[in-house]
Each structure stands twice: as structure tokens, then as C-alpha cells.
């Protein structure tokens, strides 16, 4: 098999991956660095981010306040040393990205504008209207083009990490255009592969978010962390799950039940619509369960009302919200309230790494939504993720540069033999023709239904156990799949099979960790254990692939100066 040699390989062309690539290219232009992405970089999910990116810029704000909001938002599961680094680096990063071309909205006096976001005690969410992700990713992408030495593999799909005795030496990847597999060797691999959203049916996530990074790490023997913590965003557009940004509420939008009441006054009276997402999402579900939702063809919903903001403000600050409503719901938020319900949105957990992006496996680093540093703990505050991509993308890049200055590569012979084993596995598992009866579409639908119904916003023991059993059965059914498409060129059925395999593996971990964590904390809400239990559960979950399924260990939370307290808004 072909071997293409590199020093550092970044898997993922979204915000985290490109920020890492720029950091490496600036620090050490002579290194052979490459970005590999299963879609053209500008199609990464980062492009879909809407509301903004949080950082302290104004005089009435401090890094400690941003840190406190983030830690309280995380329900005290965030590692506080990492949060302190995050809020400090954030200020420089948002200024830097502007110099690279991100057009932050401005106030009348020319200073950078900030808007309110959930759980934040100051206006600190910088934005470019409600297309922040598009502008941010564009600024990173065009900056990355300046570096001649930075190589790209667009539309290449990473299928496995090549690991020799625990040390990462590269990846096995499929060029989807030609159907040819190659070894991409590297002394350091940085996984920036994004989240896991597509294992849920009702989600705001792009089709490419299929848990690849978590599964690659897990199969290679590395730990993944806090996977039970899944964020549901309060405002998914009915029928589609498409995100209506929290900026709608940041700019002054209201949530109403069918009795015309702003019901948040019963759940978070001091923050109202701007309470953190876990709390607002649960409040919406409570209203619906109490029969105070509106009834529609696709289930019950509540109203997000922007009408009082007026057309001019909507067009200036929330043009994409209007566009999405017109295109996907056939209604105009200037004149009518938007029908919404919570949608699966974000993965707080991910590849276990520290604040420098380092995982316990030599040669393996991670950043962005795929990683779990952890700064979000049990619940992420809106607009902290885009900033996280910048801060921890850059840090992981720099750490990798330091690492490769002394690291030895894995030998070519060893890589060939590792890749051969992996190729045999891929051929047997995915590419065999004709003998199985199972279809990937049917298995995927059942997985999504199970995750929505049994591993959703509210969780209880029995449904979680059922979910684990169903996922185990789905894994068995997966052994009998047949691909109908045998072409080498753009065989999207093959890549979909690999993605489904990844999601099944990680769904199993999520359901298992959710069942073991018998408390409620942040986005993990157990009906049968409704309170937080610091005595037994103030720890991270670390999960490894065991012989008969996931094996869970615990890992301590770092607390610096903010002692856990009751979380009230
Ligand atoms: C609709 C929406 C709106 C959002 N709005 C905001 C917001 O306003 N503010 C905020 O802070 N956060 C927001 N978020 C969250 C935030 O946008 C994401 O968490 C973040 O963009 C993830 O960036 P990333 O670089 O980690 O991954 P992504 O941007 O998801 O990129 C992942 C990359 O990995 C590549 N990849 C994955 N698997 C493979 C593989 N097997 N082989 C090769 N390549 C692979 C993909 O091709 C892609 O390039 C939003 C999220 C959504 C879904």
C-alpha cells in the first residue's frame, strides 16, 4: 500500500482543525503538515454556527466572571484549570481572528459588538449577524491558504488510527474519489472530527457528525470521556430539528406556552429565556408534558416569538433565522411566532485530553467538539464552542509541534503490517458482497429512534437498560449488512457503513455511562435520581473498549477556586 509521509496530520477541516493547522504552519513552516477532511473544509459543521463566540473584551467584564459562568454552567464538572486558560486565551483569539478577516458586528462607536447569551452574566458573545460560523471558518480557511507547505486531502475518509504498542504512527485513509486506500504516516495526529449528533433523529447537526474521532480513539485503545453528557438546544425548528439560534433570545425573543405565558418565570426567574440550555430545554418539555404546548402534525411544540423585535432588527441581527423559517417552515418570524422544540445539538464529552490537547496515547492529540478537555463539563454555555475551537485548536497545534521535535516515527514496515490487518478487517466487515440481509438505513433508523426515546433529555434506569440491549442487538445485526453499491468511486454506502459502525460503538458508551451515572447534572437529567450527587459522582467518566463492551473508569475533576454550589438561575 502507498505510504505518504508527514510530520503532523490533522483530521478535520472545521474550525478546530484549521486553527491547529495555522498554529503549526506559523510556528514551524518546515514541518510536513496536512489537513485531511471527509468533506471540503468549508462544508464542515462549523460553517453552520449561528449565534456567536464568547470572549471578554469589555471593561465591565473579567476573565474570572467568564470562568465562573462557564463553571456554573457546567454544573461543576468542568476542569477549572482548563477553563482559566480558556477564558484568558479567548480574548487574544477573537482579536486574532478579526485580523484574519472575521467581520465582527460593531457598535455605533466602532467597538466590537457583543450580545447576550444563555448563562452569561455579561454581554460577551461576539457575532457576525447570525452567520458567525460561516465568517469564522472562512477567515480560518483563507488564512490557511497562505501557507504553501500545508497540504490538504479533501474528501478523504479516515478509517483507522495506526497504532504500534500504544503509539500513534498515522492513519489508514480512503480517497473517496478514487476508492484507493493509503497509509498517511505522521509522528503526531490531531483529531478534530466534530461531534456525534447524527445518532439522534431530531438534531441540529450536519450529516457528517458521526462520532468518527471518538470511535477511532476508542478502537485504538484510548479513553473517551464524559460521553453521557449530550446537549439539547431549546429551539429546534419543528419537523426538521434545524437550529434557531439562541441569539434569537439573546436579542430579546420570548418563549410562550399555549396559554400565552412566558413560562420560564416558573423555572429560572432571574434569567428567564437566557438561562442555560439544559434548563430551558427541560422547561419546554415540562410545559409540553403538562399539556401546555401547541399541538401539531409533528408533535407538540412551543412558540419562540420575535415579532416585537421588528423587521429592521431581525434583518440586521437575525437574517438567517428569518431565511431558515421561510425556507423550512413556510412562515415569517416578522409576523408569526416560530414553532420550536428541543433538538439534539452538542457533545460535551469526547476524546480524553488535557488543556494542551494531549491524550494519554503518545502521538495522539485532539481539539474542538471531538475533544473533551473538559471546559464544558456537564453542560456547555452557548457561544463557548466557537471560541474553544480557536483556543484549543491553537494549543493542540503547538503541543504537537513540540512533540514531533523529539518523537521517532513508527517504521514503514510496521505501518504496512498494521494497515494490512486493518484492510482485512474493513474488507470483511464492510465490503463483502451479497451474503447478509441487513440494510444500513434500517439499522440507523432504529438507532436514532432508540437514542431519541431512551437516551434523550430525560433518562431513567429501565429505558436506558433497554437502549443498551437494543444497541447490542443492532451491533449484531450490523455484522450481517450487505452493501448494494460495489463501485470504488464515491462509494457513499461504504462510508455510511463505517459511520454507522462508529455511531453504534459510541451510542453504546453513551447509554452505558448514562445508566451508570445515577444523578442529575447539567445535560444529564435522571428522572429517578433528580439531584446532583457530588459525593458519589463529582468525577469524569473515562471509557475504554473492553472485551464485552465499554469499560468505565473514573477520573478526578480539577477544582481551583470555585467550590461546587447549588446551581440556581
Ligand atoms: C447549527 C449549529 C449552530 C451552532 N452555533 C454555534 C454558535 O453560534 N456558537 C458556538 O460557540 N457554537 C455553535 N455551535 C457548535 C459549534 O459550531 C461546533 O461545536 C463546532 O463548530 C465544531 O467544530 P469542529 O472543528 O470541532 O468540528 P466540525 O466543524 O464539525 O468539523 C469536523 C471535521 O472533521 C472532519 N471529519 C470527521 N470525521 C472524519 C473522518 N472519518 N475522516 C476525515 N475527516 C473527518 C469533517 O470533514 C470536518 O472537516 C453550533 C452548532 C450547530 C450544529
Amino acid at each position: 500500500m502507498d505510504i505518504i509521509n508527514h510530520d503532523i496530520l490533522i483530521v478535520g477541516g472545521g474550525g478546530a482543525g484549521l486553527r491547529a493547522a495555522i498554529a503549526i504552519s506559523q510556528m514551524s513552516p518546515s514541518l510536513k503538515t496536512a489537513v485531511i477532511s471527509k468533506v471540503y473544509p468549508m462544508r464542515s459543521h462549523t460553517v453552520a454556527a449561528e449565534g456567536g463566540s464568547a470572549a471578554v473584551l469589555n471593561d465591565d467584564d473579567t476573565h474570572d466572571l467568564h470562568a465562573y459562568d462557564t463553571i456554573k454552567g457546567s454544573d461543576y464538572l468542568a476542569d477549572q484549570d482548563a477553563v482559566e486558560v480558556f477564558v484568558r486565551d479567548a480574548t487574544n483569539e477573537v482579536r486574532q481572528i478579526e485580523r484574519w478577516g472575521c467581520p465582527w458586528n460593531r457598535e455605533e462607536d466602532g467597538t466590537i459588538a457583543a450580545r447576550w447569551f444563555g448563562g452569561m452574566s455579561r454581554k460577551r458573545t461576539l457575532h457576525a449577524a447570525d452567520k458567525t460560523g460561516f465568517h469564522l471558518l472562512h477567515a480560518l480557511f483563507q488564512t490557511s491558504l497562505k501557507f504553501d507547505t500545508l497540504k490538504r486531502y479533501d474528501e478523504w475518509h479516515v478509517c483507522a488510527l495506526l497504532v504500534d504498542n500504544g503509539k500513534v504512527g498515522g492513519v489508514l485513509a480512503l480517497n473517496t474519489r478514487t476508492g484507493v486506500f493509503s497509509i498517511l504516516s505522521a509522528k503526531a495526529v490531531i483529531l478534530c472530527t466534530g461531534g456525534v449528533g447524527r445518532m439522534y433523529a431530531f438534531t441540529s447537526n450536519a450529516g457528517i457528525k458521526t462520532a468518527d474521532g471518538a470511535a477511532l480513539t476508542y478502537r485504538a485503545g484510548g479513553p473517551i470521556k464524559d460521553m453521557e453528557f449530550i446537549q439539547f438546544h431549546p429551539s429546534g425548528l419543528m419537523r426538521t430539528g434545524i437550529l434557531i439560534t439562541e441569539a434569537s433570545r439573546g436579542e430579546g425573543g420570548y418563549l410562550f406556552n399555549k396559554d400565552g405565558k412566558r413560562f420560564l418565570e416558573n423555572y429560572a426567574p432571574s434569567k428567564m429565556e437566557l438561562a442555560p440550555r439544559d434548563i430551558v430545554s427541560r422547561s419546554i418539555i415540562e410545559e409540553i408534558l403538562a399539556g401546555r404546548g401547541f399541538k401539531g402534525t409533528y408533535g407538540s411544540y412551543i412558540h419562540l416569538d420575535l415579532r416585537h423585535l421588528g423587521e429592521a432588527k431581525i434583518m440586521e441581527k437575525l437574517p438567517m433565522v428569518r431565511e431558515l423559517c421561510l425556507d423550512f417552515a413556510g412562515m415569517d418570524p416578522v409576523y408569526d411566532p416560530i414553532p420550536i422544540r428541543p433538538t439534539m445539538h452538542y457533545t460535551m464529552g469526547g476524546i480524553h485530553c488535557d488543556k494542551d490537547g494531549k491524550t494519554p496515547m503518545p502521538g495522539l492529540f485532539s481539539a474542538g467538539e471531538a475533544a473533551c478537555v473538559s471546559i464544558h463539563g456537564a453542560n456547555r454555555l452557548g457561544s463557548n464552542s466557537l471560541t474553544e475551537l480557536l483556543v484549543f485548536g491553537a494549543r493542540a497545534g503547538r503541543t504537537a509541534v513540540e512533540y514531533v521535535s523529539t518523537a521517532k516515527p513508527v517504521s514503514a514496515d510496521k505501518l504496512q503490517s498494521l494497515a494490512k490487518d486493518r484492510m482485512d478487517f474493513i474488507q470483511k466487515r464492510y465490503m463483502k458482497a451479497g451474503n447478509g440481509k441487513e440494510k444500513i438505513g434500517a439499522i440507523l433508523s432504529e438507532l436514532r429512534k432508540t437514542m431519541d426515546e431512551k437516551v434523550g433529555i430525560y433518562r431513567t434506569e429501565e429505558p436506558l437498560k433497554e437502549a443498551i440491549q437494543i444497541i447490542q442487538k443492532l451491533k449484531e445485526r450490523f455484522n450481517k449488512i450487505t452493501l448494494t453499491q460495489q463501485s470504488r468511486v464515491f462509494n457513499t454506502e461504504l462510508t455510511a457503513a463505517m459511520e454507522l459502525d462508529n455511531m453504534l460503538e459510541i451510542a453504546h458508551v453513551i447509554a452505558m455511562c448514562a445508566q451508570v451515572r445515577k444523578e442529575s447534572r447539567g445535560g444529564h437529567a435522571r428522572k429517578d435520581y433528580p439531584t446532583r450527587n457530588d459525593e458519589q459522582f463529582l468525577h469524569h467518566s473515562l471509557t475504554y473498549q473492553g472485551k464485552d463492551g465499554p469499560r468505565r473508569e473514573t477520573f478526578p475533576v480539577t477544582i481551583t477556586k470555585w467550590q461546587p454550589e447549588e446551581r440556581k438561575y
Side-chain angles (χ1 to χ4, degrees):
M1 195 182 296
D2 274 357
I3 297 192
I4 318 174
N5 291 317
H6 312 85
D7 294 302
I8 305 179
L9 190 65
I10 300 152
V11 186
L18 292 180
R19 184 65 190 88
I22 293 169
I24 296 162
S25 306
Q26 283 182 323
M27 196 169 159
S28 202
S30 59
L31 287 177
K32 276 195 197 149
T33 307
V35 173
I36 176 167
S37 173
K38 65 181 178 178
V39 296
Y40 193 73
M42 277 305 295
R43 298 188 62 213
S44 304
H45 188 73
T46 303
V47 81
E50 301 174 18
S53 182
V56 171
L57 283 187
N58 292 332
D59 292 346
D60 70 339
D61 203 358
T62 65
H63 289 141
D64 265 9
L65 212 49
H66 189 188
Y68 173 68
D69 289 346
T70 302
I71 289 160
K72 182 176 174 189
S74 82
D75 221 346
Y76 295 90
L77 197 71
D79 286 319
Q80 299 185 2
D81 56 339
V83 175
E84 288 183 55
V85 161
F86 165 67
V87 296
R88 192 194 65 209
D89 285 11
T91 301
N92 297 333
E93 285 292 335
V94 296
R95 290 206 172 105
Q96 177 61 69
I97 191 85
E98 183 181 47
R99 290 181 198 122
W100 286 336
C102 182
W104 296 128
N105 269 50
R106 297 270 164 186
E107 300 291 359
E108 291 286 310
D109 66 0
T111 53
I112 295 176
R115 60 166 47 124
W116 287 109
F117 242 66
M120 300 281 188
S121 59
R122 292 287 185 276
K123 268 191 187 182
R124 64 167 77 95
T125 298
L126 281 50
H127 51 278
D130 58 356
K131 301 181 183 178
T132 310
F134 170 83
H135 289 294
L136 188 134
L137 192 61
H138 210 278
L140 289 170
F141 187 54
Q142 66 189 8
T143 303
S144 77
L145 297 177
K146 289 201 305 204
F147 300 100
D148 299 337
T149 50
L150 185 63
K151 190 164 175 187
R152 286 215 325 272
Y153 297 90
D154 295 339
E155 300 185 326
W156 282 56
H157 196 108
V158 172
C159 313
L161 291 172
L162 300 175
V163 182
D164 178 29
N165 259 330
K167 179 170 135 179
V168 175
V171 304
L172 175 68
L174 164 69
N175 178 344
T176 48
R177 191 154 58 88
T178 60
V180 174
F181 286 84
S182 301
I183 298 167
L184 272 53
S185 83
K187 290 192 246 176
V189 173
I190 312 179
L191 292 176
C192 304
T193 46
V196 313
R198 296 305 283 203
M199 65 174 70
Y200 285 82
F202 198 70
T203 175
S204 68
N205 282 195
I208 56 170
K209 299 188 79 167
T210 52
D212 295 11
L216 290 169
T217 306
Y218 184 71
R219 287 206 190 94
I224 50 179
K225 186 162 74 192
D226 290 344
M227 292 310 296
E228 63 270 42
F229 296 102
I230 297 290
Q231 176 162 82
F232 291 82
H233 191 294
S235 45
L237 192 61
M238 280 308 284
R239 192 173 66 82
T240 58
I242 289 174
L243 188 82
I244 300 299
T245 172
E246 185 167 309
S248 321
R249 283 170 282 130
E251 295 294 345
Y254 298 141
L255 294 175
F256 286 113
N257 65 18
K258 83 168 174 17
D259 304 328
K261 185 173 155 122
R262 280 178 69 193
F263 53 87
L264 259 304
E265 70 185 39
N266 295 338
Y267 304 91
S270 73
K271 285 264 177 206
M272 293 295 288
E273 280 86 355
L274 287 174
R277 291 175 175 171
D278 54 337
I279 294 174
V280 181
S281 288
R282 285 195 288 273
S283 312
I284 294 172
I285 297 298
E286 289 299 325
E287 290 299 297
I288 288 175
L289 290 175
R292 293 191 289 271
F294 298 88
K295 294 231 179 327
T297 319
Y298 301 99
S300 297
Y301 58 89
I302 60 125
H303 273 161
L304 167 59
D305 199 344
L306 306 184
R307 289 175 297 181
H308 56 289
L309 303 182
E311 184 170 358
K313 182 160 181 182
I314 292 174
M315 286 314 291
E316 186 198 340
K317 294 284 196 168
L318 304 165
M320 189 151 92
V321 166
R322 190 176 190 193
E323 231 172 276
L324 292 170
C325 289
L326 287 167
D327 290 351
F328 294 97
M331 49 79 50
D332 186 344
V334 171
Y335 306 108
D336 292 300
I338 309 171
I340 53 124
R341 75 171 166 94
T343 183
M344 184 284 169
H345 183 60
Y346 184 83
T347 319
M348 265 77 75
I351 299 158
H352 173 47
C353 65
D354 66 12
K355 57 184 185 294
D356 298 313
K358 220 189 269 172
T359 77
M361 293 174 77
L364 188 67
F365 304 83
S366 183
E369 191 172 341
C372 181
V373 171
S374 131
I375 57 161
H376 308 305
N379 173 63
R380 170 175 75 92
L381 291 189
S383 71
N384 266 351
S385 169
L386 287 180
T387 315
E388 171 189 29
L389 309 180
L390 302 174
V391 168
F392 293 103
R395 291 179 75 88
R398 290 185 208 118
T399 314
V401 170
E402 275 165 32
Y403 172 82
V404 300
S405 67
T406 53
K408 300 252 174 322
V410 173
S411 75
D413 286 350
K414 189 71 209 176
L415 288 175
Q416 287 288 5
S417 95
L418 290 165
K420 184 181 174 308
D421 289 351
R422 204 56 215 177
M423 238 5 264
D424 291 347
F425 172 84
I426 288 172
Q427 239 131 16
K428 259 213 263 148
R429 188 156 177 80
Y430 310 118
M431 294 166 84
K432 61 180 187 290
N435 44 8
K437 288 198 174 50
E438 294 290 350
K439 296 265 187 299
I440 50 181
I443 298 175
L444 179 57
S445 300
E446 184 144 358
L447 173 66
R448 287 177 172 165
K449 184 167 176 284
T450 305
M451 295 305 282
D452 272 17
E453 289 174 2
K454 299 182 195 295
V455 200
I457 293 187
Y458 281 119
R459 296 150 178 203
T460 32
E461 188 72 10
E462 279 315 306
L464 285 170
K465 283 188 173 156
E466 285 161 22
I468 294 169
Q469 281 168 2
I470 294 171
I471 294 164
Q472 278 167 326
K473 287 210 182 99
L474 292 176
K475 281 169 134 179
E476 282 162 27
R477 280 174 59 189
F478 187 91
N479 294 330
K480 298 182 205 125
I481 57 160
T482 295
L483 301 194
T484 51
Q485 229 187 90
Q486 293 297 322
S487 144
R488 287 170 80 90
V489 175
F490 277 117
N491 189 338
T492 50
E493 200 185 8
L494 170 61
T495 47
M498 293 194 276
E499 291 174 337
L500 173 58
D501 205 10
N502 292 342
M503 288 191 281
L504 285 168
E505 202 66 84
I506 301 306
H508 195 172
V509 175
I510 294 174
M512 187 274 255
C513 289
Q515 192 244 326
V516 173
R517 189 175 280 276
K518 296 185 189 337
E519 65 157 357
S520 290
R521 184 187 295 272
H524 173 67
R526 291 277 308 235
K527 276 272 179 195
D528 41 358
Y529 299 94
T531 50
R532 195 174 83 198
N533 179 345
D534 285 342
E535 233 164 75
Q536 278 180 286
F537 290 104
L538 182 56
H539 57 232
H540 299 293
S541 324
L542 277 197
T543 317
Y544 296 83
Q545 188 174 42
K547 263 210 184 101
D548 312 307
R551 177 170 62 77
R552 181 183 181 274
E553 292 179 3
T554 63
F555 191 77
V557 175
T558 305
I559 292 180
T560 56
K561 53 185 175 190
W562 294 277
Q563 288 307 314
E565 55 187 35
E566 195 190 349
R567 186 167 166 253
K568 268 203 211 136
Y569 290 94

